Amino acid sequence: MADISEQEMAMKLMSDGFGRTGPVAGVLTDPVADTPMVVTLDELRPYELDPRLTRNPLYDEIKASIRERGLDAPPPITRRPGSDHYIIRNGGNTRLAILRELWAETRDERFFRIGCLFRPWPERGEIVALTGHLAENELHGSLSFIERALGVEKVRELYEKEDGKSLSQSELARRLKADGYPVPQPHISRMQEAIQYLLPAIPNVLYGGLGRHQVEQLTGLRRAGARIWDVRAASRQVDVDFATLFQDVLSVFDGTPGNFNIQRVQDELIGQMADLLGVVYDTLALEILDSEKRWQILTSEPVAAPTATPSAAVSPQAESTQPSPPPSSAPRDGEAPAPAPEFTLQTKAAPAQPPASDDQPDDESQRSTLVQEHVVSPAPTTDRLQSIQRLIADHTGESHNDFESNVLKAIPVQVGGLYPISDVWHIAPGLDEPERLRTHIAQFALEIAREAGVGEHIAPSDYGIGFSCTAQIGHAGASGTMALPDATLTLLHVLSAPYLSASASPARSDTSRLAGDVGVLLLGTAPSATSSQNQSHVLTDSGLVKLFRLVRLARRLLEIEAGIPDGDSAMPGS
């Protein structure tokens, strides 16, 4: 090939044959992995949902450090899909504001161009970003209580938008913990109360840094005052409701945060309540303080103490000094505490009532009799434990599934076991998920089978309704009927087998005799045609209630897995 000059080479390279013919990208796509990059202040924005609403108390110290040393810890950044600017991913809005101030003051390039770590926008971007900002600020302890409360409330809104349903406080606490920002449920309750009842009345005090302990005192005063007001105002004509009264009293004290005094709020509230209700100030103060002491006992750490007898009545005075029950006696999933080992009919202790008038004993006696008829086997409890459960329900905003209150207007039946039953129908929110439902169903099936002596043939399962029968069953005896063990096991098999795969259920199961034996199993044999030997066919009362509960939970499990959030079998409170 002949040598060509540099000019000829340049002309060939610039000819049309070397021109770009494909599409030209307007902007580069974001990296798909964590990538260090340099961005300018023009390209970076603060996070719009930053929970910090007030100036960082350490702002001046941070600014002085950055001015002297530069940015030792650049904030991580990210970018929403389709956005034209980057945002702070978690924490760092204060640093960004300081950099803008220093750039405006000095025009020093080290404050304008920042080396940051870019992280791709995740699938659950808004939730991850907001919980990240909350967690980052929590590490530095620089958010006020109300700022944390509003941040958690915003996360709740994002969760509910993501799920398409409302969340209980317990579920919100679980979701926050899973996303790396654990907040106990009692704290969430106080946060929601502060937003609903305190923020409209004393925003300056709250944004000025009112602490959690003071918020607890205010919310406790509001709850106690509301309970006393509801009782005393029912018999009087009062022109104002308690919510309005509390807001009016509290708003008077929305001044300088450092001068806020809860004792003055309490004095003013009790004074106005006493005037409106026509009650002596000291009497009202004692009632409210006694209610607050009960709540303090509820939230205090439990200490070991002997278990009280179910029939023991505890007076309000005794409650203030009696130690809390041991942790082992706490209820599970909203149901009753662990039962005694024996299954005997027993009346459950009624809550403490005011002295009855002369025309009440017959009604109380009749009610006691009706309650006793609903108790299959005892789940021991005490008046104090019932009172604590009611206070918890009031505090969390959830309805309390109380046996004594519901027994004559719902369908509760009390029976013991590993998971004691205080209401056949009610399903606590913490239980209403497939894994836990299967656990409870399998336990009830095992306890029913154990009563018939065939517990070893019940196996838990992660599929179906939660259990399977592992023995060849359904063979009739010489009399043409099944013995109690076979009849019980066949009934459990009939309930579980349709929802199991062929490999998970017994290869051969003769259920043809069950039709003739299920009546005897559930109802017993007519006395005229019964021998004492045939009485063994009958399920015990305890086993029958557990069977009812098993069916209820299984129906709910199948509804959930079929995508029916509230099926035909749902009831209020379930």
Side-chain angles (χ1 to χ4, degrees), residues 484-535:
L484 172 64
D486 279 346
T488 302
L489 203 57
T490 303
L491 177 60
L492 294 173
H493 169 75
V494 168
L495 292 174
S496 62
Y499 306 100
L500 294 168
S501 62
S503 61
S505 60
R508 297 189 308 276
S509 298
D510 179 13
T511 59
S512 61
R513 304 296 307 178
L514 183 61
D517 292 309
V518 68
V520 177
L521 182 65
L522 300 180
L523 305 179
T525 308
S528 58
T530 303
S531 66
S532 60
Q533 180 180 1
N534 286 336
Q535 287 297 331

Side-chain angles (χ1 to χ4, degrees), residues 16 23 46 117 122 155 159-160 164 201 210 241 245 387 547:
D16 292 340
L117 177 65
V155 176
Y159 283 143
E160 291 182 349
L210 193 68
D241 60 76
L245 174 64
S387 177
L547 179 63

Side-chain angles (χ1 to χ4, degrees), residues 13-26:
L13 292 174
M14 295 174 64
S15 65
D16 292 340
F18 288 91
R20 181 183 295 274
T21 57
V24 179

